[in-house]
Amino acid sequence: MRKRFAVVLAAAGLALAGCGGGATDAAQDPEAPLTIGVSPTPHGEILEYVQDNLAAQAGIELELEQFDDYNRPNEAVANGELDANFFQHKPYLQEYQQERGGEFTWVESVHLEPLAVYSTKHRSLQEIPDGGTVMLSNDPANQFRGLQLLADNGLIELKPDASPDTRVDAAIAQNPKNIEFQPIAPDQLPRSVEDADASVVNGNYALKANLSDPLVAEEAEGNPYANGLVANPAMAEDPRMVKLAELLKSDEVKKFIQDEWRGVAVVPAD
């Protein structure tokens, strides 16, 4: 089996957004590999497991391209550079489409990375002082998700009509400690843990930075933020994509996720 894992950095000068639509090799050749864009951890690791252990027997071939930001994988799928990507949850995809457009098909939910709050200065949210600083993701879907986590654990209270489209200050009904919320790029959140009173970090970036012992974390049950496989609509029903989705939901992949992350930082989707 041919195997390629290319690293595509966020700063790289690949002008995907301006290249226009196009058909991938797999769309034109039923024998071609599927090209899938992934975040390195855990998405890339999950698909590497599939690539190394399950794909050949299932009769499919994968080529994985690794991305270090949240925008380029969707640009690449929309423009026909990739057949699919695996890095995001539905609320983020919906937000992306509202802001940037593009046609996508949600194929299958695979796993959940519970969002968590980390701190090197405090042992609980209650220890955060008046006027303390909490860092949040600057993408609206995960920003609101972070606010919900903090509200669920008593640090703030949200307005009943708050949504991902609501500004942070407008979403908060009660902020008894006058916490200062600072949104930054998701990949910068792990670095902010040392400086801020607390940081709400996306699961994949927490894993990459080896963060542990969060103050609080999301509950997995009933969580709407499962990460999944997203395809270019032209490839969504291709037999190779259908087979890949089946493999990602297989007992073997569920066991790999449970063994690799011990049912904490990454858990199989329902």
Side-chain angles (χ1 to χ4, degrees):
M1 178 177 67
R2 185 157 49 116
K3 179 178 178 181
R4 177 168 63 88
F5 199 98
V7 178
V8 183
L9 297 178
L14 298 182
L16 295 176
C19 69
T24 64
D25 290 344
Q28 301 177 73
D29 178 3
E31 302 300 321
L34 293 177
T35 56
I36 315 292
V38 295
S39 291
T41 303
H43 311 78
E45 293 168 84
I46 293 170
L47 272 179
E48 279 192 297
Y49 171 80
V50 171
Q51 185 182 45
D52 293 342
N53 297 279
L54 305 175
Q57 186 174 355
I60 62 173
E61 192 174 348
L62 305 178
E63 290 188 351
L64 310 180
E65 293 194 7
Q66 178 177 313
F67 291 79
D68 284 342
D69 75 64
Y70 278 1
N71 290 319
R72 300 181 75 81
N74 278 335
E75 292 173 357
V77 169
N79 289 308
E81 298 289 323
L82 296 170
D83 298 304
N85 62 47
F86 176 35
F87 79 98
Q88 65 192 319
H89 49 62
K90 284 183 179 179
Y92 180 83
L93 177 61
Q94 292 165 355
E95 169 201 316
Y96 179 93
Q97 286 185 283
Q98 290 173 359
E99 293 183 356
R100 297 175 180 240
E103 296 296 326
F104 307 90
T105 299
W106 184 272
V107 179
E108 186 63 83
S109 298
V110 179
H111 74 273
L112 173 73
E113 302 160 28
L115 201 68
V117 182
Y118 296 89
S119 176
T120 58
K121 299 179 180 179
H122 311 294
R123 293 172 296 178
S124 70
L125 289 181
Q126 289 67 40
E127 288 186 9
I128 296 176
D130 289 352
T133 300
V134 174
M135 311 300 286
L136 296 168
S137 173
N138 66 359
D139 83 73
N142 284 309
Q143 185 178 104
F144 183 67
R145 185 182 174 191
L147 291 174
Q148 287 181 309
L149 176 60
L150 296 171
D152 289 343
N153 287 276
L155 188 66
I156 58 173
E157 182 180 328
L158 295 180
K159 294 179 180 177
D161 60 349
S163 73
D165 297 325
T166 311
R167 298 189 322 273
V168 171
D169 56 346
I172 297 173
Q174 299 290 333
N175 184 6
K177 290 192 172 186
N178 295 309
I179 300 298
E180 179 184 354
F181 294 99
Q182 295 186 6
I184 61 172
D187 62 344
Q188 298 301 311
L189 285 165
R191 299 180 186 178
S192 73
V193 173
E194 293 289 335
D195 300 320
D197 287 287
S199 298
V200 186
V201 185
N202 299 67
N204 59 317
Y205 290 121
L207 285 168
K208 188 175 180 181
N210 295 314
L211 296 179
S212 59
D213 300 321
L215 304 185
V216 294
E218 288 179 323
E219 297 290 337
E221 186 175 353
N223 195 304
Y225 293 98
N227 284 218
L229 183 67
V230 175
N232 184 298
M235 290 298 297
E237 296 184 7
D238 184 279
R240 290 161 292 181
M241 195 70 68
V242 172
K243 178 57 67 174
L244 176 58
E246 291 173 354
L247 294 179
L248 286 169
K249 293 295 285 187
S250 67
D251 290 341
E252 292 90 341
V253 168
K254 289 180 180 178
K255 185 178 187 303
F256 171 76
I257 292 171
Q258 290 165 341
D259 290 348
E260 188 74 12
W261 293 287
R262 301 182 180 181
V264 179
V266 184
V267 295
D270 294 336

